[in-house]
Amino acid sequence: MSDTTVPYSTGETKLGDTTLAEMRELAARYPVGRSALLPMLHLVQSVEGRITPEGIEACADVLGLTGAEVSAVATFYTMYKRRPVGDYHVGVCTNTLCAVMGGDLIFERLKQHLDVGNDETTEDGKITLEHLECNAACDYAPVMMVNWEFFDDMTPESATQLVDDLREGTEVKSPRGATVCTWREAERVLAGFPDGRADEGPTGGKATLAGLRLARERNWTAPQGNHSGRAPEPEQTVSPDAASGPRPENQPGKESQTVHTDDARKED
């Protein structure tokens, strides 16, 4: 990194020759060096605990970009943090399905339990809490993530126990198999430096494939594409009986969430 003054610098940085060498290594992995910017920013977070002005300038120097160009990327993606992150980044999905299934309640419970607001860190530096948008795991709603590892079918009680275990230093494993490491360790993996534990997970389980299994059992297929330019012919819809059941088995945490409907419809 150049010796020029870095705008908005705090005057403190942990970036050194080793990190700069790893940045150049990342850039060399791509035909066009600037393609390495995203993993380089994760590398900065693994060292600094956030995206710092020094980190932005270091990326710019290695890639031949301006600080403004790097900053534009760092401020666009929510995984890049401008404030220090705790040892464990705890994200609670509060998008539509997770919210309906209890995500909002979990988030409110954790805010009270940890005495923090959204995107804030506990006084001991252990937990940073944030509400997240959809994690693409709706079949396990409500879902949380700890340092980007999934925790499925959560409740306010299990979420509270989870953060307590993290703060106490208890080893925690994701239901999908992976052992939770610190946030900085996870960021280094995202930067492209594996920790040798990829085989621990993740795996989705049976609920992820429930729709595919039902489709095969009932010979459901996707409608054929219409390339004639004409309006498509009306297609036969799936009957209410076929659509309603039987419910897929072996879905952990789903037993108490069966929806009961009243078959007797009121006539106008």
Side-chain angles (χ1 to χ4, degrees):
M1 188 165 56
S2 63
D3 294 331
T4 57
T5 302
V6 177
Y8 312 111
S9 172
T10 62
E12 299 178 359
T13 180
K14 296 180 181 178
L15 297 176
D17 292 339
T18 299
T19 303
L20 294 177
E22 289 179 335
M23 285 184 173
R24 289 188 283 269
E25 177 187 337
L26 290 173
R29 296 180 184 181
Y30 296 86
V32 179
R34 67 186 297 162
S35 298
L37 179 54
L38 297 183
M40 286 171 63
L41 289 170
H42 283 296
L43 182 61
V44 169
Q45 292 195 137
S46 75
V47 177
E48 300 274 65
R50 65 185 179 103
I51 298 297
T52 59
E54 290 83 3
I56 289 174
E57 293 299 324
C59 292
D61 284 352
V62 170
L63 298 177
L65 302 173
T66 66
E69 289 174 313
V70 176
S71 184
V73 173
T75 55
F76 181 82
Y77 295 102
T78 58
M79 289 179 74
Y80 300 123
K81 307 301 182 183
R82 305 307 290 269
R83 292 188 290 182
V85 177
D87 292 338
Y88 302 98
H89 178 274
V90 175
V92 181
C93 182
T94 55
N95 212 324
T96 307
L97 185 56
C98 278
V100 170
M101 298 295 286
D104 284 344
L105 293 175
I106 291 171
F107 187 61
E108 290 302 318
R109 173 73 66 85
L110 289 182
K111 285 198 299 183
Q112 296 175 7
H113 184 69
L114 297 172
D115 194 25
V116 296
N118 180 53
D119 202 21
E120 293 182 356
T121 302
T122 56
E123 290 186 0
D124 59 7
K126 294 289 186 179
I127 306 290
T128 296
L129 180 66
E130 183 179 6
H131 70 77
L132 303 178
E133 294 303 320
C134 183
N135 289 313
C138 301
D139 42 353
Y140 295 100
V143 173
M144 291 174 55
M145 299 187 85
V146 178
N147 297 344
W148 317 121
E149 297 290 352
F150 282 97
F151 284 80
D152 307 314
D153 299 299
M154 298 299 289
T155 65
E157 292 74 25
S158 64
T160 301
Q161 184 62 55
L162 173 61
V163 296
D164 285 347
D165 289 342
L166 293 170
R167 297 181 83 177
E168 292 170 4
T170 303
E171 184 181 86
V172 172
K173 284 184 176 289
S174 162
R176 306 191 185 198
T179 303
V180 174
C181 59
T182 68
W183 186 74
R184 294 194 185 200
E185 290 171 337
E187 286 297 301
R188 183 168 177 80
V189 174
L190 291 174
F193 297 96
D195 59 4
R197 299 191 299 171
D199 291 338
E200 288 188 4
T203 178
K206 294 183 178 180
T208 301
L209 301 176
L212 178 61
R213 179 174 61 80
L214 284 175
R216 287 175 174 172
E217 289 175 356
R218 301 176 186 186
N219 294 319
W220 291 346
T221 59
Q224 298 297 317
N226 177 28
H227 304 291
S228 65
R230 299 190 300 270
E233 295 292 331
E235 296 187 14
Q236 182 177 358
T237 59
V238 178
S239 69
D241 290 339
S244 63
R247 187 174 181 84
E249 299 176 353
N250 300 319
Q251 293 191 49
K254 301 295 186 182
E255 293 80 5
S256 62
Q257 297 173 5
T258 302
V259 177
H260 299 281
T261 58
D262 184 2
D263 292 334
R265 297 185 178 180
K266 295 182 179 179
E267 296 182 359
D268 293 335

